[in-house]
Amino acid sequence: MSIQKVAVIGCGLMGREIALATASAGIPTMIFKMTREEELSKVRDKFNERLDKEKQKIVQWDCWKHRGEVEGFKDCDLAIETIVEDLHEKRALFSQLDNLLNPMAIIASNTSTLSVAELASATMRPGRVAGLHFFNPPSVAKLVEVVQTASVYASVVEELQSFVRQLGLTPLVVANTPGFVVNRLMMNDLIYAILCLEGRLAKMEDMDMAKRLGLVHPMGPFELCDHVGLDTILSMAKILYKDLQDERFKPPMLLQRLVKNQMLGRKSKNKLGFYNYNLKPKCPNPEVYALINLERRSLAW
Ligand code: NAD
Protein backbone atom coordinates (compact mmCIF):
# COMPACT_ATOMS: atom_id res chain seq x y z
CA MET A 1 0.00 0.00 0.00
CA SER A 2 1.49 3.37 -0.87
CA ILE A 3 0.40 6.62 0.74
CA GLN A 4 -2.01 8.35 -1.65
CA LYS A 5 -3.69 10.87 0.62
CA VAL A 6 -2.58 12.55 3.84
CA ALA A 7 -4.45 14.37 6.61
CA VAL A 8 -2.53 16.85 8.76
CA ILE A 9 -4.23 17.60 12.06
CA GLY A 10 -3.22 20.84 13.75
CA CYS A 11 -2.11 23.82 11.73
CA GLY A 12 0.42 25.65 13.89
CA LEU A 13 4.08 26.16 13.11
CA MET A 14 4.74 22.51 12.21
CA GLY A 15 1.37 21.48 10.77
CA ARG A 16 1.58 24.21 8.13
CA GLU A 17 5.12 23.27 7.13
CA ILE A 18 4.41 19.54 6.99
CA ALA A 19 1.28 20.10 4.87
CA LEU A 20 3.33 22.30 2.58
CA ALA A 21 5.93 19.52 2.21
CA THR A 22 3.35 16.82 1.40
CA ALA A 23 1.30 19.03 -0.92
CA SER A 24 4.44 20.23 -2.72
CA ALA A 25 5.43 16.60 -3.31
CA GLY A 26 2.12 16.23 -5.17
CA ILE A 27 0.39 14.19 -2.47
CA PRO A 28 -3.26 15.15 -1.92
CA THR A 29 -3.34 16.68 1.54
CA MET A 30 -6.13 17.64 3.91
CA ILE A 31 -5.60 20.11 6.73
CA PHE A 32 -7.61 20.14 9.92
CA LYS A 33 -7.22 23.23 12.01
CA MET A 34 -8.85 23.88 15.36
CA THR A 35 -10.35 27.27 14.62
CA ARG A 36 -13.57 29.07 13.84
CA GLU A 37 -14.68 28.65 10.24
CA GLU A 38 -14.39 32.35 9.44
CA GLU A 39 -10.72 32.36 10.44
CA LEU A 40 -9.97 29.38 8.26
CA SER A 41 -10.17 31.24 4.94
CA LYS A 42 -7.55 33.77 6.09
CA VAL A 43 -5.09 31.01 6.97
CA ARG A 44 -5.94 29.18 3.76
CA ASP A 45 -5.23 32.21 1.55
CA LYS A 46 -1.91 32.87 3.22
CA PHE A 47 -0.96 29.22 2.92
CA ASN A 48 -1.94 28.95 -0.74
CA GLU A 49 0.34 31.88 -1.59
CA ARG A 50 3.27 29.66 -0.62
CA LEU A 51 2.22 26.70 -2.76
CA ASP A 52 3.25 26.10 -6.31
CA LYS A 53 -0.14 26.40 -7.99
CA GLU A 54 0.76 23.72 -10.53
CA LYS A 55 1.34 21.17 -7.83
CA GLN A 56 -1.27 22.27 -5.38
CA LYS A 57 -2.84 19.24 -3.83
CA ILE A 58 -4.57 20.61 -0.79
CA VAL A 59 -7.81 18.83 -1.41
CA GLN A 60 -9.75 19.90 1.61
CA TRP A 61 -9.55 22.36 4.44
CA ASP A 62 -11.67 21.81 7.43
CA CYS A 63 -12.14 22.97 10.95
CA TRP A 64 -11.47 20.34 13.52
CA LYS A 65 -14.78 19.44 15.16
CA HIS A 66 -16.55 20.41 11.95
CA ARG A 67 -19.30 18.01 10.91
CA GLY A 68 -17.69 17.26 7.55
CA GLU A 69 -14.68 15.69 9.19
CA VAL A 70 -15.87 12.07 9.08
CA GLU A 71 -16.35 12.10 5.32
CA GLY A 72 -12.99 13.78 4.79
CA PHE A 73 -11.05 11.26 6.77
CA LYS A 74 -12.48 8.13 5.17
CA ASP A 75 -9.99 7.70 2.33
CA CYS A 76 -6.81 8.94 4.03
CA ASP A 77 -3.89 6.52 4.18
CA LEU A 78 -1.90 8.54 6.69
CA ALA A 79 -2.89 11.04 9.40
CA ILE A 80 -0.09 13.18 10.81
CA GLU A 81 -0.91 14.73 14.19
CA THR A 82 0.85 18.05 14.91
CA ILE A 83 -1.10 19.48 17.85
CA VAL A 84 0.23 20.90 21.10
CA GLU A 85 2.88 18.83 22.98
CA ASP A 86 0.52 17.45 25.64
CA LEU A 87 -0.01 13.76 26.28
CA HIS A 88 -3.69 14.01 27.28
CA GLU A 89 -4.64 16.18 24.29
CA LYS A 90 -2.77 13.91 21.91
CA ARG A 91 -4.19 10.67 23.36
CA ALA A 92 -7.73 12.06 23.10
CA LEU A 93 -7.09 12.97 19.46
CA PHE A 94 -5.54 9.56 18.68
CA SER A 95 -8.59 7.78 20.02
CA GLN A 96 -10.84 10.03 17.90
CA LEU A 97 -8.71 9.44 14.80
CA ASP A 98 -8.81 5.70 15.39
CA ASN A 99 -12.60 5.82 15.13
CA LEU A 100 -12.66 8.05 12.05
CA LEU A 101 -9.98 6.51 9.85
CA ASN A 102 -10.03 3.43 7.68
CA PRO A 103 -8.57 0.53 9.78
CA MET A 104 -5.59 0.19 7.39
CA ALA A 105 -4.60 3.87 7.71
CA ILE A 106 -1.45 4.81 9.59
CA ILE A 107 -1.56 7.36 12.41
CA ALA A 108 1.68 9.24 13.01
CA SER A 109 2.63 11.82 15.61
CA ASN A 110 5.05 14.69 15.15
CA THR A 111 5.71 14.69 18.90
CA SER A 112 9.17 15.88 19.93
CA THR A 113 9.44 14.11 23.27
CA LEU A 114 6.31 12.15 24.19
CA SER A 115 6.17 8.36 24.15
CA VAL A 116 4.70 7.19 20.84
CA ALA A 117 3.79 3.87 22.55
CA GLU A 118 1.56 5.79 24.97
CA LEU A 119 -0.15 7.48 22.04
CA ALA A 120 -0.53 4.15 20.22
CA SER A 121 -2.17 2.61 23.27
CA ALA A 122 -5.02 5.11 22.93
CA THR A 123 -5.97 3.30 19.69
CA MET A 124 -7.02 -0.19 18.66
CA ARG A 125 -4.28 -0.26 15.97
CA PRO A 126 -0.89 0.02 17.75
CA GLY A 127 0.72 -1.86 14.84
CA ARG A 128 -0.18 1.06 12.56
CA VAL A 129 0.98 3.92 14.81
CA ALA A 130 4.47 5.46 14.68
CA GLY A 131 6.28 8.74 15.16
CA LEU A 132 7.11 10.93 12.18
CA HIS A 133 9.22 13.64 13.71
CA PHE A 134 9.79 16.42 11.19
CA PHE A 135 12.03 19.41 11.88
CA ASN A 136 11.36 23.06 11.40
CA PRO A 137 10.96 23.74 8.53
CA PRO A 138 11.25 20.54 6.45
CA SER A 139 12.22 22.63 3.41
CA VAL A 140 15.53 23.34 5.20
CA ALA A 141 15.90 20.62 7.86
CA LYS A 142 15.96 17.47 5.75
CA LEU A 143 15.78 14.78 8.44
CA VAL A 144 12.66 12.99 9.68
CA GLU A 145 12.92 10.66 12.67
CA VAL A 146 10.70 7.62 12.13
CA VAL A 147 9.91 6.49 15.65
CA GLN A 148 9.55 2.76 16.07
CA THR A 149 7.63 1.32 19.02
CA ALA A 150 7.70 -2.33 20.14
CA SER A 151 4.29 -2.93 18.56
CA VAL A 152 4.51 -1.16 15.20
CA TYR A 153 4.61 -3.44 12.12
CA ALA A 154 7.92 -3.56 10.24
CA SER A 155 5.97 -2.99 6.99
CA VAL A 156 4.57 0.29 8.41
CA VAL A 157 8.06 1.53 9.31
CA GLU A 158 9.22 0.69 5.78
CA GLU A 159 6.25 2.45 4.27
CA LEU A 160 6.89 5.57 6.32
CA GLN A 161 10.53 5.60 5.25
CA SER A 162 9.48 5.48 1.58
CA PHE A 163 6.97 8.26 2.24
CA VAL A 164 9.68 10.45 3.79
CA ARG A 165 11.94 9.84 0.76
CA GLN A 166 9.03 10.75 -1.52
CA LEU A 167 9.03 14.17 0.18
CA GLY A 168 12.74 14.58 -0.68
CA LEU A 169 13.72 14.11 2.98
CA THR A 170 15.93 11.57 4.76
CA PRO A 171 14.40 9.12 7.24
CA LEU A 172 16.22 8.00 10.38
CA VAL A 173 14.61 5.11 12.25
CA VAL A 174 14.91 5.72 15.99
CA ALA A 175 13.75 3.96 19.14
CA ASN A 176 10.85 5.26 21.18
CA THR A 177 12.98 6.88 23.90
CA PRO A 178 12.31 10.35 25.41
CA GLY A 179 13.43 13.04 22.96
CA PHE A 180 14.47 10.34 20.43
CA VAL A 181 17.93 11.31 19.13
CA VAL A 182 17.90 14.88 17.84
CA ASN A 183 16.01 16.51 20.70
CA ARG A 184 17.98 14.67 23.35
CA LEU A 185 21.10 16.26 21.85
CA MET A 186 19.50 19.65 21.23
CA MET A 187 17.73 20.18 24.56
CA ASN A 188 20.88 19.56 26.54
CA ASP A 189 22.55 22.42 24.67
CA LEU A 190 19.64 24.85 24.85
CA ILE A 191 19.03 24.42 28.57
CA TYR A 192 22.74 24.80 29.29
CA ALA A 193 22.83 28.04 27.27
CA ILE A 194 19.88 29.45 29.28
CA LEU A 195 21.62 28.50 32.52
CA CYS A 196 24.77 30.27 31.28
CA LEU A 197 22.69 33.38 30.62
CA GLU A 198 21.14 33.19 34.09
CA GLY A 199 24.70 32.81 35.44
CA ARG A 200 25.78 35.88 33.45
CA LEU A 201 28.43 34.14 31.38
CA ALA A 202 27.83 36.54 28.49
CA LYS A 203 25.02 38.45 26.78
CA MET A 204 22.65 36.20 24.85
CA GLU A 205 23.39 37.96 21.56
CA ASP A 206 27.10 37.31 22.11
CA MET A 207 26.47 33.64 22.93
CA ASP A 208 24.37 33.37 19.76
CA MET A 209 27.14 34.98 17.73
CA ALA A 210 29.70 32.67 19.39
CA LYS A 211 27.76 29.60 18.22
CA ARG A 212 27.18 30.97 14.73
CA LEU A 213 30.66 32.25 13.98
CA GLY A 214 32.77 30.15 16.32
CA LEU A 215 31.08 26.80 15.85
CA VAL A 216 29.47 27.43 12.45
CA HIS A 217 25.92 26.70 13.66
CA PRO A 218 23.23 28.32 11.51
CA MET A 219 21.57 29.77 14.63
CA GLY A 220 22.62 30.45 18.19
CA PRO A 221 20.79 28.75 21.10
CA PHE A 222 18.51 31.69 21.93
CA GLU A 223 17.64 32.22 18.28
CA LEU A 224 16.86 28.51 18.04
CA CYS A 225 14.61 28.64 21.14
CA ASP A 226 12.66 31.52 19.54
CA HIS A 227 12.47 29.61 16.26
CA VAL A 228 11.03 26.46 17.89
CA GLY A 229 8.69 28.29 20.32
CA LEU A 230 9.46 28.72 24.01
CA ASP A 231 6.27 26.92 25.09
CA THR A 232 7.31 23.88 23.05
CA ILE A 233 10.86 24.04 24.48
CA LEU A 234 9.41 24.21 28.02
CA SER A 235 7.07 21.25 27.42
CA MET A 236 9.97 19.22 26.04
CA ALA A 237 12.20 20.08 29.00
CA LYS A 238 9.47 19.09 31.48
CA ILE A 239 8.87 15.75 29.74
CA LEU A 240 12.59 14.91 29.44
CA TYR A 241 13.22 15.91 33.06
CA LYS A 242 10.33 13.78 34.31
CA ASP A 243 11.01 10.77 32.09
CA LEU A 244 14.80 10.66 32.37
CA GLN A 245 15.09 11.98 35.94
CA ASP A 246 18.14 13.88 34.71
CA GLU A 247 18.95 17.30 36.19
CA ARG A 248 20.41 18.40 32.85
CA PHE A 249 16.86 18.77 31.52
CA LYS A 250 15.39 20.67 34.49
CA PRO A 251 13.45 23.63 33.02
CA PRO A 252 15.36 26.85 33.85
CA MET A 253 13.45 29.53 35.75
CA LEU A 254 14.01 32.14 33.02
CA LEU A 255 12.36 29.90 30.42
CA GLN A 256 9.38 29.29 32.72
CA ARG A 257 8.96 33.02 33.35
CA LEU A 258 9.10 33.97 29.68
CA VAL A 259 6.42 31.40 28.84
CA LYS A 260 4.30 32.60 31.76
CA ASN A 261 4.55 36.13 30.29
CA GLN A 262 3.40 34.81 26.89
CA MET A 263 6.76 35.55 25.30
CA LEU A 264 6.95 32.49 23.07
CA GLY A 265 9.38 33.53 20.34
CA ARG A 266 8.84 34.26 16.67
CA LYS A 267 5.36 32.70 16.56
CA SER A 268 4.11 34.85 19.49
CA LYS A 269 1.37 37.35 18.68
CA ASN A 270 3.45 39.98 20.52
CA LYS A 271 6.57 38.92 18.51
CA LEU A 272 8.60 38.60 21.69
CA GLY A 273 10.81 35.82 22.95
CA PHE A 274 14.47 36.05 23.88
CA TYR A 275 14.47 38.66 21.11
CA ASN A 276 12.05 41.35 20.05
CA TYR A 277 10.97 40.68 16.46
CA ASN A 278 8.91 43.86 16.16
CA LEU A 279 12.16 45.63 15.35
CA LYS A 280 14.28 45.09 12.27
CA PRO A 281 16.91 43.84 12.80
CA LYS A 282 15.71 41.96 15.85
CA CYS A 283 16.96 43.19 19.25
CA PRO A 284 17.32 41.44 22.59
CA ASN A 285 14.07 41.55 24.55
CA PRO A 286 14.93 43.76 27.58
CA GLU A 287 12.43 41.78 29.64
CA VAL A 288 14.87 38.86 29.53
CA TYR A 289 17.53 40.86 31.34
CA ALA A 290 14.95 42.35 33.68
CA LEU A 291 13.80 38.84 34.55
CA ILE A 292 17.27 37.71 35.51
CA ASN A 293 17.59 40.90 37.46
CA LEU A 294 20.14 42.45 35.17
CA GLU A 295 19.46 45.97 34.00
CA ARG A 296 21.31 46.21 30.69
CA ARG A 297 22.81 49.58 31.59
CA SER A 298 24.37 48.14 34.74
CA LEU A 299 26.02 45.23 32.97
CA ALA A 300 29.74 45.04 33.45
CA TRP A 301 30.29 43.44 30.00
P1 NAD B 1 2.06 25.35 17.68
O1 NAD B 1 1.74 25.87 19.02
O2 NAD B 1 2.59 26.27 16.64
O3 NAD B 1 0.77 24.63 17.03
C1 NAD B 1 -0.05 23.73 17.72
C2 NAD B 1 -1.43 23.80 17.07
O4 NAD B 1 -2.25 22.76 17.61
C3 NAD B 1 -2.15 25.12 17.32
O5 NAD B 1 -2.55 25.64 16.07
C4 NAD B 1 -3.36 24.72 18.18
O6 NAD B 1 -4.51 25.49 17.87
C5 NAD B 1 -3.57 23.28 17.77
N1 NAD B 1 -4.25 22.44 18.76
C6 NAD B 1 -4.05 22.41 20.08
N2 NAD B 1 -4.83 21.45 20.64
C7 NAD B 1 -5.53 20.88 19.62
C8 NAD B 1 -6.52 19.84 19.52
N3 NAD B 1 -6.91 19.21 20.61
N4 NAD B 1 -6.98 19.51 18.29
C9 NAD B 1 -6.56 20.13 17.19
N5 NAD B 1 -5.64 21.11 17.21
C10 NAD B 1 -5.15 21.48 18.41
O7 NAD B 1 3.07 24.12 17.94
P2 NAD B 1 4.12 23.45 16.91
O8 NAD B 1 5.44 24.08 17.10
O9 NAD B 1 3.51 23.37 15.55
O10 NAD B 1 4.22 21.99 17.55
C11 NAD B 1 3.27 20.98 17.27
C12 NAD B 1 3.89 19.62 17.55
O11 NAD B 1 5.09 19.47 16.74
C13 NAD B 1 4.32 19.41 19.00
O12 NAD B 1 4.10 18.07 19.33
C14 NAD B 1 5.81 19.74 18.95
O13 NAD B 1 6.52 19.11 19.98
C15 NAD B 1 6.19 19.18 17.60
N6 NAD B 1 7.39 19.75 16.95
C16 NAD B 1 7.63 21.11 17.01
C17 NAD B 1 8.78 21.59 16.38
C18 NAD B 1 9.09 23.07 16.39
O14 NAD B 1 10.20 23.46 15.97
N7 NAD B 1 8.20 23.94 16.84
C19 NAD B 1 9.64 20.73 15.68
C20 NAD B 1 9.33 19.37 15.63
C21 NAD B 1 8.21 18.89 16.28
Side-chain angles (χ1 to χ4, degrees):
M1 182 186 116
S2 72
I3 291 164
Q4 308 283 344
K5 191 171 171 190
V6 172
V8 176
I9 300 104
C11 191
L13 203 58
M14 288 309 293
R16 276 197 297 273
E17 294 297 333
I18 293 170
L20 206 55
T22 56
S24 301
I27 302 171
T29 301
M30 299 164 61
I31 301 178
F32 288 84
K33 179 171 169 54
M34 197 172 72
T35 188
R36 286 177 308 180
E37 271 180 79
E38 57 272 24
E39 283 174 9
L40 200 63
S41 64
K42 257 191 270 165
V43 188
R44 186 176 46 210
D45 292 347
K46 227 167 156 188
F47 186 94
N48 281 343
E49 276 170 25
R50 290 181 58 193
L51 268 182
D52 172 352
K53 293 285 181 289
E54 293 301 303
K55 282 190 182 169
Q56 184 176 331
K57 294 282 181 183
I58 298 291
V59 291
Q60 186 181 342
W61 280 77
D62 220 331
C63 304
W64 186 241
K65 292 181 179 144
H66 185 258
R67 258 187 261 142
E69 69 194 10
V70 181
E71 284 308 308
F73 271 117
K74 261 188 190 151
D75 57 345
C76 271
D77 306 307
L78 170 66
I80 306 176
E81 167 279 309
T82 74
I83 70 166
V84 65
E85 187 76 344
D86 179 288
L87 184 65
H88 300 291
E89 291 273 347
K90 284 194 197 279
R91 274 181 59 89
L93 178 60
F94 266 59
S95 148
Q96 239 176 321
L97 288 174
D98 193 31
N99 291 328
L100 296 174
L101 288 160
N102 166 331
M104 289 304 285
I106 301 172
I107 311 180
S109 174
N110 188 47
T111 180
S112 305
T113 40
L114 291 167
S115 163
V116 177
E118 281 196 63
L119 300 177
S121 70
T123 74
M124 304 295 282
R125 63 176 89 197
R128 307 196 71 78
V129 175
L132 260 189
H133 184 215
F134 290 82
F135 295 88
N136 179 18
S139 53
V140 178
K142 299 288 186 186
L143 190 79
V144 180
E145 289 179 317
V146 178
V147 184
Q148 193 171 22
T149 64
S151 43
V152 67
Y153 301 135
S155 59
V156 167
V157 174
E158 269 167 34
E159 205 169 323
L160 289 174
Q161 289 182 81
S162 309
F163 168 72
V164 169
R165 288 193 196 98
Q166 207 184 330
L167 303 183
L169 303 172
T170 301
L172 174 68
V173 178
V174 296
N176 181 40
T177 51
F180 317 124
V181 173
V182 174
N183 280 337
R184 186 84 76 89
L185 300 175
M186 177 187 82
M187 287 299 290
N188 208 13
D189 256 21
L190 296 185
I191 291 174
Y192 189 62
I194 299 171
L195 293 176
C196 286
L197 179 61
E198 286 180 342
R200 305 171 194 203
L201 174 72
K203 290 188 275 188
M204 64 179 159
E205 54 272 39
D206 289 348
M207 284 194 259
D208 276 339
M209 184 177 70
K211 277 268 183 166
R212 272 190 275 105
L213 302 187
L215 298 176
V216 204
H217 286 205
M219 269 183 246
F222 304 99
E223 292 164 332
L224 183 53
C225 285
D226 281 353
H227 177 71
V228 171
L230 301 195
D231 52 341
T232 302
I233 296 283
L234 179 59
S235 300
M236 290 197 274
K238 283 181 179 167
I239 294 162
L240 289 173
Y241 182 50
K242 177 172 153 280
D243 289 356
L244 297 167
Q245 301 276 299
D246 184 337
E247 287 293 312
R248 279 177 298 186
F249 297 105
K250 188 173 176 182
M253 192 54 75
L254 176 59
L255 177 64
Q256 299 189 50
R257 289 193 175 137
L258 287 169
V259 172
K260 200 167 170 209
N261 291 355
Q262 287 300 307
M263 293 172 176
L264 307 181
R266 281 180 174 277
K267 73 177 180 184
S268 251
K269 285 212 170 83
N270 58 21
K271 298 278 168 222
L272 294 171
F274 281 103
Y275 289 92
N276 177 352
Y277 296 91
N278 295 296
L279 304 170
K280 290 212 168 49
K282 70 180 187 307
C283 289
N285 175 5
E287 187 69 13
V288 170
Y289 291 105
L291 282 171
I292 52 175
N293 211 10
L294 282 176
E295 291 289 354
R296 292 205 70 198
R297 60 181 174 280
S298 67
L299 293 180
W301 309 313

